[in-house]
Amino acid sequence: MIKVAMTGVYVDDVATAHAFYTGILGFETRLHMDLGDDTLFVTVGAPEGAQPDLQLLLEPGQGPVAEPYRRALYEAGIPCIVFSVDDLWAEYERLRGLGVRFTHEPREQGPVLAAVFDDTVGNLVQLVQPRQ
C-alpha cells in the first residue's frame, strides 16, 4: 500500500511560516533542522497523534520554479493546500480572532463547507468541513 508521507508548501520565509503554522493553526513541529547557510528544514503535522505519519514540509519559495508557481496560484485565488476541520464556523471564528485574514468566509461548495485564508507567507489555504 502506498500512502502520502510528506507534502510541501512553498513559503516566503520558513521561520515565519513555522511560527504561523504552529502558533496560529495549531500544528506541531515534527522536524526542525538547521542545514547551515540560513537554510531550515522544517516539517509540521497535526497535533495530538492525529495523522502521525503525515508531515507538511515548509519549503523555501524562492527560485525559478517555486516563485512563479506560488504567485500564479495566489493571483488566481487558488489555495495551495486544503485542510479539513470538524467545525468550520468555530475554526473560522477562532482564526479571525487571532488576526487571520480570510478571502472568503465559510460557504457551501458542493459536498463541503469551505473557507479560504491567507497564511501570511505567500499562500492561500482552504479549510473544509464535509456537509452532512
Side-chain angles (χ1 to χ4, degrees):
M1 170 184 12
I2 297 174
K3 300 188 311 181
V4 176
M6 183 182 299
T7 189
V9 61
Y10 293 118
V11 298
D12 289 337
D13 179 272
V14 173
T16 301
H18 181 237
F20 180 84
Y21 278 73
T22 57
I24 300 295
L25 296 185
F27 285 98
E28 66 183 19
T29 303
R30 298 281 176 83
L31 292 171
H32 191 285
M33 299 185 315
D34 186 342
L35 303 177
D37 297 326
D38 295 322
T39 302
L40 295 175
F41 185 88
V42 177
T43 68
V44 297
E48 301 168 12
Q51 298 178 305
D53 58 346
L54 180 59
Q55 299 179 72
L56 178 63
L57 174 61
L58 303 174
E59 298 190 70
Q62 298 71 31
V65 173
E67 194 157 326
Y69 170 75
R70 285 185 324 122
R71 186 174 44 253
L73 284 178
Y74 194 92
E75 289 172 0
I78 299 171
C80 72
I81 195 161
V82 179
F83 299 132
S84 65
V85 295
D86 294 328
D87 184 340
L88 183 56
W89 278 104
E91 196 62 28
Y92 171 78
E93 293 299 335
R94 182 186 80 81
L95 293 173
R96 279 193 40 188
L98 293 171
V100 174
R101 184 181 70 80
F102 279 79
T103 60
H104 79 70
E105 66 180 27
R107 63 180 175 219
E108 292 182 5
Q109 288 184 273
V112 298
L113 185 62
V116 176
F117 66 86
D118 185 314
D119 75 353
T120 74
V121 286
N123 302 294
L124 297 176
V125 174
Q126 186 172 46
L127 297 177
V128 298
Q129 173 189 338
R131 292 176 46 207
Q132 281 126 3

